[in-house]
Amino acid sequence: MKKVLILEDETSIRSFVVINLQRAGYEAIEASSGEEALEQLRKNPDIGVAIFDINLPGMDGFEVCRTVRATNKSIGIIMLTARTQEMDKVTGLMTGADDYVTKPFSPAELTARIDALYRRIGGEAGGTSDELRQGPFVLNTRNRTLEKAGARIKLTQVEYSIVKLFMQNPGRAMSREDILAAVWGRDYDGELKIVDVNIRRLRIKIEDDTSNPVYITTVWGYGYKWGA
């Protein structure tokens, strides 16, 4: 059974999420603090998706996300944010989250986001070895790894999916809507800004000068283009 970690200090919300995860066929692992969440991840290395509430006493969701991402690039991470906290969404994505869900949320919405992350994590399992090479970059689609001039660049699952999309469409201007549909799925009902934040995060990792990007360039008023 696929495992999902839910970090939420409010018992009523956590219980609500757990019940609906179980109904959707997932095994729910609970944590009420950041420290407990990290311990649960150590005990359950096969957890595929983690849900972190941002507003926690002590170690908050941002810090938990940073700590997890320092050693685990493959796990899917969803942040729970309050609807009015716009900067929380951006900050959560910049610290390594793959997606966010605003409170209040429906069980169907959260389950759909989890399903999408699990599909992304296992989407190429068992595939044959293949490589995409452009400029200084080598993307191995079997191992899901990226190298730049021989140096490994650590990517999250979402970042990997974006790079793969770009390298499969070199020189093509892609709209934000195209990228959102290809990476997050056509049924994704989140905001377009999630594309921009992930592009910003990717540029930090792959560009020599983020103030003058040459690999992922902006097509003003439209989207982005891969130019390696």
Side-chain angles (χ1 to χ4, degrees):
M1 185 179 292
K2 295 177 180 177
K3 293 182 179 180
V4 177
L5 172 67
I6 168 67
L7 167 58
E8 169 62 65
D9 65 322
E10 294 188 32
T11 304
S12 59
I13 297 177
R14 191 172 69 250
S15 299
F16 169 75
V17 173
V18 167
I19 290 171
N20 284 283
L21 287 177
Q22 292 172 340
R23 287 175 177 169
Y26 290 105
E27 178 180 347
I29 309 295
E30 299 181 56
S32 59
S33 69
E35 293 79 6
E36 185 181 0
L38 295 178
E39 180 61 25
Q40 290 287 17
L41 286 166
R42 284 191 287 269
K43 290 180 179 178
N44 299 273
D46 55 340
I47 289 174
V49 172
I51 304 167
F52 299 149
D53 184 34
I54 289 176
N55 296 314
L56 299 167
M59 189 179 194
D60 67 14
F62 295 138
E63 188 176 352
V64 177
C65 186
R66 289 190 197 96
T67 302
V68 172
R69 275 290 179 243
T71 58
N72 189 335
K73 302 296 179 183
S74 63
I75 189 172
I77 297 177
I78 298 173
M79 305 297 284
L80 296 182
T81 73
R83 188 173 298 278
T84 57
Q85 294 171 319
E86 190 68 21
M87 280 308 299
D88 280 356
K89 301 173 184 178
V90 175
T91 303
L93 293 170
M94 289 303 292
T95 56
D98 298 296
D99 203 352
Y100 59 82
V101 173
T102 54
K103 297 178 180 178
F105 54 86
S106 70
E109 178 188 12
L110 183 60
T111 300
R113 302 291 179 86
I114 295 169
D115 290 344
L117 274 179
Y118 254 112
R119 284 196 302 270
R120 197 174 300 131
I121 291 167
E124 294 175 11
T128 57
S129 177
D130 197 10
E131 289 184 347
L132 295 173
R133 294 176 175 267
Q134 286 163 22
F137 297 101
V138 178
L139 187 74
N140 187 305
T141 58
R142 180 170 64 102
N143 297 328
R144 301 173 74 88
T145 58
L146 177 69
E147 292 184 357
K148 178 185 178 184
R152 178 71 59 85
I153 297 175
K154 295 181 178 180
L155 301 177
T156 67
Q157 296 297 323
V158 165
E159 291 165 351
Y160 165 83
S161 297
I162 294 173
V163 171
K164 182 185 175 190
L165 178 66
F166 278 141
M167 292 183 72
Q168 288 175 328
N169 297 273
R172 174 187 167 193
M174 305 191 71
S175 70
R176 290 172 174 83
E177 291 82 0
D178 288 339
I179 298 169
L180 189 73
V183 175
W184 282 268
R186 294 196 175 278
D187 57 348
Y188 181 82
D189 60 356
E191 302 167 70
L192 276 175
K193 72 167 63 67
I194 196 171
V195 174
D196 299 319
V197 176
N198 275 278
I199 294 295
R200 189 191 316 169
R201 203 167 66 185
L202 258 178
R203 281 173 168 165
I204 292 171
K205 295 184 177 184
I206 71 170
E207 297 285 355
D208 298 320
D209 179 5
T210 55
S211 64
N212 185 32
V214 297
Y215 301 122
I216 302 176
T217 56
T218 300
V219 181
W220 295 107
Y222 185 71
Y224 300 95
K225 182 170 65 174
W226 178 257

